[in-house]
Amino acid sequence: GFLEDGILVQDRGRIRLRYLRSPSFPWDMAAVLPTDLLYLRLGLGVPAVRANRCLRVPRLFEAFDRRETRTAHPNAFRVAKLMLYVFIAIHWHGCLYFALSSRLGLGTDTWVCPNASRPGFARPLRQYLHSFYFSTLILTTVGDTPEPQREEEFLFVTAGFLLAVLGFATITGSISSVISNMNAADAAFYPNPEPVRCYLRAQGASGRLVRRVARWHQHLQMQRKLPAERAVLRHLPRGLQAEVAASVHLPALRRVGLFQSWERGVLQQLVLRLQPQVFGPGEFVCRRGDVGHEMYFVREGQLAVVAEDGVTQLAVLGEGLYFGEISLINIKGNTSGNRRTANIMSIGYSDLFCLSKEDLAEVLAEFPSARAMMEAKGRELLLRMGKLDVHAEAAAAAAAQEAECRAQALETALEGLQTQAARLLAQLESSAFKLALRVERLECQLRRRQPAGGAGPA
């Protein structure tokens, strides 16, 4: 198919008509002409009759470019394509070497390809392998080849060495480009550990801390953790971002008990705002009394709820659980306010989803039912912990209701004032209109009197 105004056209008639009018059609026709039939007259010793097949080379390059953009392993494809180019260059050079040897005479000196009288060289395969080996020695600049004896041989070897120098420069540049692309892709996915290491060494940090940082970076790359997902997906449109994030994170998010009864629209809004974070062994995610600005969902790993001594484990949080939501929801009667109520420590390497207070408030503002369910969960948890003052909650609810009543009364009074102001404005406009008409009548009477008064004295 082809694109027309951004729409994929797959109608065969239109595709055929467009192809027949394209500039590539004559070249494709010339490339597929049955020139092989000339073998019947000229014999098999004239392979040049199939040279028209080389007109398909632009199509080959086009196919390579399209495959490179669609494959899941572009760097491996580039290396394989480069090796194919090297093989083809050696093959063509070997064919030219054999053609030159045939012209000068097979076996006439030590440089040319041996003839059939030499044991083993009666088979074309052996002659081809010898030519391929000889060209490999020249194009790799090994130099372990027989010394040329004639001018044609000297020119062929010199041209081969110059081609090898150019080929090696191209291969080196291509390999370095592939390596730099791989490093750039890794840098886009994973943070670079070198600046942190240099900073720790410059500040004289302990070796234990340096090893912890190194192990954290190593864990990210070994487990294919991507902490910079938003930076990677920032060029995609928002709808496609939501689809990609949902396909990656939605199964893990559905395992969270809080979200199992939520509708899909809420979850799709949440996955766009989740920030993956990885915590190492013994690292505290939050401490009791800290001001809470995020809530966390356990994607992988285990976390421990520890006592004040930092050692005694009170509970273990596993995959699919969540914590920190109480600090983000303004529940009436919460005696702890927006402070953390527990110490959470990572037992091993834990992969968490982090959701900020602003993002959560933005999502819950669009879905009131989800907000009510989350507040009910938080109130239930506060009751179990003894952190909910029922009387204060009732007083806060009564105060909120009274404030709402006052707001409604103010709105009613404001509507009355607006009605009175509109009436006064209408009366003022009517009075101004009447006054303007009266002034206009007086001016007309004055203009009629002025000529009569001026004619008497004359």
Side-chain angles (χ1 to χ4, degrees):
F2 64 94
L3 293 178
E4 186 178 53
D5 296 332
I7 301 175
L8 181 63
V9 178
Q10 294 181 321
D11 181 66
R12 294 196 176 191
R14 297 179 62 184
I15 294 173
R16 185 184 302 110
L17 182 62
R18 183 175 185 269
Y19 175 64
L20 293 177
R21 294 177 178 177
S22 65
S24 59
F25 173 70
W27 297 100
D28 293 343
M29 282 293 297
V32 299
L33 290 177
T35 55
D36 311 71
L37 299 177
L38 294 175
Y39 281 134
L40 300 176
R41 182 176 181 86
L42 302 177
L44 297 177
V46 190
V49 298
R50 301 181 68 249
N52 62 325
R53 301 292 188 269
C54 295
L55 297 176
R56 297 283 290 177
V57 169
R59 288 291 192 180
L60 179 65
F61 291 155
E62 181 183 358
F64 280 165
D65 293 339
R66 294 193 178 189
R67 175 53 55 188
E68 184 175 335
T69 57
R70 296 181 182 181
T71 182
H73 306 282
N75 293 319
F77 182 80
R78 294 189 190 105
V79 173
K81 184 174 64 174
L82 181 62
M83 297 305 298
L84 176 64
Y85 290 159
V86 171
F87 177 83
I88 292 176
I90 296 175
H91 167 75
W92 282 354
H93 192 271
C95 293
L96 292 175
Y97 164 73
F98 186 80
L100 181 61
S101 299
S102 300
R103 181 180 180 84
L104 298 177
L106 297 175
T108 55
D109 57 33
T110 57
W111 187 85
V112 297
C113 183
N115 55 16
S117 61
R118 186 172 174 178
F121 280 86
R123 296 182 301 160
L125 178 61
R126 182 64 179 271
Q127 294 176 345
Y128 172 76
L129 292 178
H130 176 82
S131 302
F132 193 89
Y133 170 73
F134 190 87
S135 297
T136 303
L137 294 179
I138 294 178
L139 295 182
T140 55
T141 64
V142 174
D144 189 15
T145 58
E147 183 179 356
Q149 304 295 330
R150 311 177 196 183
E151 295 178 356
E152 295 88 345
E153 298 173 358
F154 276 107
L155 291 176
F156 186 84
V157 173
T158 304
F161 281 141
L162 294 177
L163 180 63
V165 172
L166 178 61
F168 264 113
T170 304
I171 293 173
T172 304
S174 300
I175 294 295
S176 63
S177 176
V178 171
I179 295 175
S180 62
N181 289 336
M182 294 175 62
N183 294 335
D186 289 340
F189 280 101
Y190 308 109
N192 186 12
E194 291 303 323
V196 182
R197 294 175 183 174
C198 294
Y199 172 77
L200 293 177
R201 285 195 295 266
Q203 298 298 326
S206 63
R208 178 175 174 273
L209 182 59
V210 174
R211 288 191 296 271
R212 283 185 59 188
V213 173
R215 285 195 298 267
W216 185 82
H217 283 93
Q218 184 180 8
H219 172 78
L220 288 184
Q221 294 193 357
M222 290 180 63
Q223 301 298 323
R224 311 296 294 177
K225 304 297 183 183
L226 309 179
E229 288 187 356
R230 287 191 179 181
V232 175
L233 303 177
R234 67 181 184 276
H235 298 296
L236 297 178
R238 186 170 181 83
L240 194 54
Q241 283 186 22
E243 187 175 352
V244 171
S247 64
V248 175
H249 298 313
L250 199 57
L253 204 60
R254 286 192 179 278
R255 291 196 296 268
V256 179
L258 179 63
F259 300 139
Q260 289 180 354
S261 57
W262 287 22
E263 56 184 287
R264 183 179 178 85
V266 188
L267 300 182
Q268 286 183 343
Q269 293 295 325
L270 282 177
V271 293
L272 286 175
R273 296 166 171 82
L274 294 178
Q275 286 283 3
Q277 291 186 2
V278 179
F279 292 87
E283 186 176 356
F284 278 88
V285 180
C286 60
R287 293 180 180 272
R288 183 177 182 180
D290 294 344
V291 178
H293 299 285
E294 307 92 4
M295 68 175 299
Y296 298 92
F297 311 97
V298 183
R299 184 183 181 185
E300 292 179 3
Q302 291 184 343
L303 299 101
V305 182
V306 297
E308 295 297 332
D309 56 3
V311 178
T312 306
Q313 295 186 6
L314 305 178
V316 176
L317 304 178
E319 178 181 342
L321 298 180
Y322 59 96
F323 59 93
E325 76 283 1
I326 299 178
S327 302
L328 304 188
I329 306 175
N330 296 323
I331 300 177
K332 307 301 181 182
N334 184 7
T335 58
S336 60
N338 61 343
R339 301 282 179 174
R340 300 294 188 188
T341 59
N343 301 313
I344 309 295
M345 183 184 67
S346 176
I347 299 177
Y349 282 99
S350 303
D351 189 5
L352 308 179
F353 285 140
C354 175
L355 182 63
S356 66
K357 184 175 184 178
E358 293 77 12
D359 292 336
L360 179 63
E362 184 178 351
V363 173
L364 295 181
E366 299 176 1
F367 301 93
S369 60
R371 182 180 186 87
M373 293 175 59
M374 199 164 191
E375 289 180 352
K377 289 279 187 180
R379 188 177 294 105
E380 181 183 353
L381 182 59
L382 287 175
L383 283 174
R384 289 201 304 264
M385 297 173 58
K387 298 285 186 180
L388 183 63
D389 189 351
V390 181
H391 301 289
E393 182 184 12
Q401 186 176 3
E402 183 180 357
E404 185 177 357
C405 294
R406 290 181 179 179
Q408 291 178 355
L410 289 176
E411 289 179 358
T412 304
L414 181 59
E415 290 178 358
L417 291 175
Q418 289 177 348
T419 303
Q420 294 179 4
R423 291 176 180 175
L424 291 176
L425 182 60
Q427 293 177 1
L428 179 62
E429 290 178 352
S430 177
S431 301
F433 181 71
K434 293 178 180 179
L435 182 61
L437 290 178
R438 185 177 181 184
V439 170
E440 185 178 357
R441 285 197 300 270
L442 292 175
E443 289 178 349
C444 292
Q445 293 176 4
L446 181 63
R447 284 195 296 269
R448 285 197 300 269
R449 293 177 180 177
Q450 281 181 351

